[in-house]
Amino acid sequence: MTFTRTRIAPTPSGYLHRGNALSFLLTARRAREAGARLLLRIDDMDRDRLRPEYVQDVFDTLAFLEIRPDEGPADAPDFEAHWSQRHRLPLYEAALRQLRESGRLFACTCSRAALLQAHPDGIYTGTCRHKGLPLDTPGAAWRLRTDNAAPLRVRLPGGGFRIAPLPETQTDFMVRKKDGFPAYQLCSLVDDGHFAVDYIVRGEDLWDSTLAQLYLARVLGDEAFAACTFEHHPLLLDAAGGKLSKSAGAASIRHFRAAGGTLEELIRSTGSGLYP
């Protein structure tokens, strides 16, 4: 594989778990194999769930995994002072202006409860698409129309491609939240372009997000992101066969370390053999 930069991009919304460790270790391995740069990028735009202890946990986990990124914040104070996504708000706002000028955005005032009532999986059913609400409506989110049905092309490791449609879960996905902050899909896309990332490692649960971001890149004319290579790895499961989740209280690496667990034991528990 030939690429120049990949990234570890955790969200500080809870303590990291074994699934996060697997993704970090695999990303670091791919960077070493390719002689590429490894960037640490902490995605902290979800201000409601952000906690200082979760930011610190990112650095504690990387130290435990013996992963030393080539670029990015050295510690939590450096992150807050220089690397937080708050410092890149002008870049996100520029992308939002471009989307607004394209005429492809609409305002949505639906609550999460209303979305779940309309569809049990929370899939957007187009409730506000034709209401014509002004984008400046107080408390409204901005959604991107996804009625361009052309298939998306995902570049895979090894040079091949996978062709897929935008999934139903990403119908008219959100690009700006009700609180006025840019949404995850837009921030992640803009950041990867800003840092010139060209290889992205993710769990297979983020396949739909990859397709949403490729769709957004098409709308924005972002050819560099469309040329990125994406590797989606299998997920680690809990004892009940469900995916590990910070929000669901999956056993954290922090707890594992406190109980005296070693790096070798953690890696064996992932079944990956991905030693630093």
Side-chain angles (χ1 to χ4, degrees):
M1 293 182 293
T2 301
F3 61 93
T4 60
R5 183 175 286 104
T6 186
R7 84 294 200 274
I8 290 172
T11 301
S13 57
Y15 291 113
L16 299 172
H17 52 64
R18 289 186 304 123
N20 301 122
L22 173 60
S23 189
F24 291 5
L25 289 164
L26 181 56
T27 304
R29 168 68 65 84
R30 294 291 182 256
R32 288 198 308 276
E33 291 171 343
R37 305 286 288 176
L38 175 62
L39 166 74
L40 170 61
R41 190 193 84 205
I42 300 176
D43 292 354
D44 66 332
M45 196 50 67
D46 187 350
R47 309 305 292 180
D48 291 338
R49 294 194 293 168
L50 175 67
R51 300 288 184 275
E53 56 268 31
Y54 298 155
V55 174
Q56 182 59 47
D57 183 58
V58 172
F59 294 97
D60 294 342
T61 298
L62 289 173
F64 180 70
L65 297 176
E66 299 179 1
I67 294 175
R68 299 172 183 84
D70 302 299
E71 301 169 342
D75 51 31
D78 184 32
F79 167 71
E80 288 294 338
H82 304 108
W83 293 88
S84 167
Q85 287 184 310
R86 292 180 292 107
H87 300 298
R88 298 190 293 280
L89 275 171
L91 299 179
Y92 311 141
E93 289 166 355
L96 287 170
R97 282 195 301 272
Q98 183 178 344
L99 292 173
R100 183 170 187 164
E101 291 166 3
S102 76
R104 298 184 60 83
L105 297 181
F106 65 91
C108 175
T109 56
C110 295
S111 66
R112 179 168 176 79
L115 293 177
L116 290 172
Q117 185 175 13
H119 196 288
D121 295 325
I123 293 172
Y124 188 69
T125 56
T127 306
C128 292
R129 187 184 301 147
H130 303 295
K131 287 184 178 180
L133 298 172
L135 288 176
D136 295 329
T137 299
W142 290 2
R143 292 183 177 273
L144 175 66
R145 293 181 62 101
T146 56
D147 47 5
N148 180 351
L152 297 155
R153 191 171 77 155
V154 185
R155 185 185 297 271
L156 304 176
F161 293 90
R162 179 176 171 184
I163 307 299
L166 186 71
E168 187 181 20
T169 59
Q170 299 298 332
T171 298
D172 294 345
F173 59 86
M174 196 181 304
V175 292
R176 196 186 80 161
K177 300 179 293 182
K178 289 185 176 182
D179 60 11
F181 283 108
Y184 166 74
Q185 307 293 16
L186 183 133
C187 291
S188 185
L189 168 67
V190 170
D191 279 351
D192 283 329
H194 175 67
F195 291 110
V197 169
D198 55 353
Y199 193 96
I200 297 173
V201 177
R202 289 173 165 163
E204 59 186 12
D205 59 326
L206 289 178
W207 172 253
D208 287 5
S209 284
T210 292
L211 292 170
Q213 289 166 27
L214 286 168
Y215 184 96
L216 180 57
R218 175 194 292 168
V219 174
L220 291 170
D222 187 344
E223 297 181 2
F225 186 83
C228 285
T229 297
F230 295 88
E231 179 176 355
H232 293 81
H233 61 79
L235 300 181
L236 294 181
L237 304 178
D238 60 23
K243 83 167 197 173
L244 300 175
S245 169
K246 287 177 289 187
S247 60
S252 67
I253 298 171
R254 175 174 175 267
H255 177 79
F256 179 83
R257 293 197 323 266
T262 67
L263 176 57
E264 289 74 14
E265 290 169 337
L266 176 66
I267 291 172
R268 281 199 299 270
S269 76
T270 68
S272 65
L274 290 170
Y275 287 87

